[in-house]
């Protein structure tokens, strides 16, 4: 499932679109759980616990069926990656309860920008003018989405911004692990450690979920696992610079879900901010693609 495949741009695009739709679905369910649409509102810590619990169960079943070969893991790097991933997911789910899903999703697209910035001190990478320009453009879009002076909405945007920082830092450790360990091993260990962290954190806020809430928690975990599988398969069939732009359709899916289910449609501030973020992120993806293009 995770072995390199023959290039297939059409299938890569389709799998990426599916991954984007599934990922937006997890945020939708998180919003339903955090706003009381399915019963008494659940704390973001409990929602992220459900995400890791059911994702771990799904991945463990798949590992049992596929039986991949495991190697000696770099546990220290895994713990750092998983801690940041748990923090990013938790903050993202918390943000979804306060701001439109389109805003939260757009801000989450800043994670590659923060990864680029953190790669300077952590990986010793050099960043040129084009990449810095892309970062500045994307951050300007995020500034628009924070809606200064907006009270609760501003706080929600800041939570999403914190999530993007955590996920950007997580990308650094994913990069370190991806060249040393197999994808199934990385996914299983990540979700196992994330579940351990989430299980400790949820003790203080645990509330008995309703049947509908249990179903939504299971849905978040399963959708997340499927989204990861689709995205990894897409990456095996197309270049990252080609695949990544299709993932930005998560913004469209998030806005559509929010509008149809909750009646919340993006306003001009959301559209403007998201457009600016996408311009910056798109420029960064384009630049990364050119840096990795073979010299002919």
């Amino acid at each position: 499932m995770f072995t390199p495949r023959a290039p297939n741009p059409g299938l890569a695009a389709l799998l990426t679109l599916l991954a984007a739709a599934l990922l937006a679905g997890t945020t939708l369910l998180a919003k339903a759980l955090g706003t009381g649409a399915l019963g008494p509102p659940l704390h973001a810590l409990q929602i992220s616990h459900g995400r890791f619990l059911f994702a771990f169960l799904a991945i463990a079943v798949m590992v049992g069926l596929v039986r991949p070969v495991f190697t000696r893991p770099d546990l220290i790097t895994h713990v750092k990656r998983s801690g940041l991933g748990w923090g990013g997911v938790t903050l993202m789910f918390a943000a979804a309860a306060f701001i439109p899903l389109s805003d939260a999703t757009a801000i989450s697209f800043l994670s590659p920008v923060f990864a680029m910035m953190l790669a300077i001190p952590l990986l010793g990478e050099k960043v040129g003018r084009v990449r810095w320009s892309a970062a500045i453009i994307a951050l300007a879009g995020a500034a628009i989405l924070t809606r200064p002076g907006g009270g609760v909405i501003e706080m929600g945007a800041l939570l999403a911004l914190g999530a993007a920082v955590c996920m950007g830092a997580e990308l650094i450790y994913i990069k370190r692990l991806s060249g040393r360990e197999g994808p199934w091993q990385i996914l299983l260990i990540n979700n196992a450690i994330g579940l351990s962290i989430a299980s400790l954190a949820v003790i203080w806020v645990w509330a008995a979920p309703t049947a509908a809430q249990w179903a939504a928690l299971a849905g978040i975990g399963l959708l997340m696992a499927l989204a990861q599988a689709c995205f990894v398969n897409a990456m095996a069939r197309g270049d990252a610079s080609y695949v990544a732009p299709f993932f930005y359709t998560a913004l469209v899916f998030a806005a559509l879900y929010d509008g149809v289910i909750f009646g919340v449609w993006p306003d001009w501030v959301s559209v403007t901010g998201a457009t600016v973020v996408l311009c910056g992120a798109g420029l960064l993806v384009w630049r990364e693609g050119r840096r990795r293009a073979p010299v002919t």
Side-chain angles (χ1 to χ4, degrees):
M1 184 176 183
F2 289 104
T3 56
R5 306 286 184 178
N8 189 332
L11 182 56
L14 182 61
L15 287 170
T16 307
L17 290 172
L18 181 56
L22 293 171
L23 188 64
T26 66
T27 313
L28 172 70
L29 292 175
K31 179 170 184 172
L33 290 165
T35 56
L38 300 175
L42 295 183
H43 196 282
L45 290 173
Q46 187 163 356
I47 300 173
S48 66
H49 174 264
R51 171 258 184 264
F52 280 101
L53 172 62
F54 290 103
F56 172 75
L57 293 175
I59 292 171
V61 169
M62 290 302 298
V63 167
L65 294 173
V66 176
R67 296 184 180 278
V69 176
F70 282 6
T71 59
R72 184 175 180 178
D74 181 353
L75 290 178
I76 294 178
T77 302
H78 275 291
V79 169
K80 292 178 180 178
R81 178 262 168 110
S82 300
L84 289 166
W86 168 80
V89 167
T90 303
L91 289 171
M92 187 66 175
F93 288 165
F98 293 103
I99 60 177
L101 295 184
S102 58
D103 286 14
T105 303
I107 293 174
S108 73
F109 290 152
L110 289 171
S111 56
V113 173
F114 289 118
M116 181 205 76
M117 295 178 177
L118 292 169
I120 299 173
L122 296 178
L123 299 179
E125 291 189 1
K126 295 182 179 180
V127 177
R129 288 178 295 178
V130 175
R131 297 170 76 195
W132 273 120
S133 298
I136 292 171
I137 293 171
L139 289 172
I144 295 172
L145 291 172
T146 59
R147 304 167 189 253
V152 173
I153 294 180
E154 179 184 0
M155 178 56 65
L158 292 177
L159 288 171
L161 193 61
V165 172
C166 288
M167 291 186 285
E170 182 188 14
L171 289 174
I172 298 295
Y173 294 105
I174 291 175
K175 185 175 182 178
R176 287 183 175 179
L177 290 169
S178 61
R180 308 172 187 172
E181 303 178 25
W184 279 120
Q185 178 171 319
I186 293 173
L187 286 175
L188 184 65
I189 295 176
N190 165 242
N191 282 277
I193 296 175
L195 176 58
S196 300
I197 297 172
S199 296
L200 291 174
V202 78
I203 293 174
W204 314 106
V205 298
W206 176 266
T210 64
Q213 288 174 330
W214 273 120
L217 289 169
I220 289 175
L222 294 175
L223 290 178
M224 186 69 74
L226 287 172
Q228 289 176 323
C230 288
F231 189 70
V232 170
N233 272 279
M235 293 290 286
R237 292 170 169 83
D239 293 335
S241 58
Y242 171 80
V243 168
F246 289 98
F247 195 70
Y248 293 153
T249 57
L251 180 61
V252 178
F253 288 115
L256 182 63
Y257 296 162
D258 214 10
V260 173
I261 304 299
F262 293 102
V264 178
W265 296 99
D267 58 13
W268 69 271
V269 177
S270 295
V271 173
T272 301
T275 300
V276 176
V277 169
L278 290 179
C279 287
L283 178 59
L284 183 59
V285 169
W286 172 80
R287 178 56 178 165
E288 292 299 308
R290 286 183 61 86
R291 290 177 69 233
R292 289 170 172 76
V295 177
T296 58

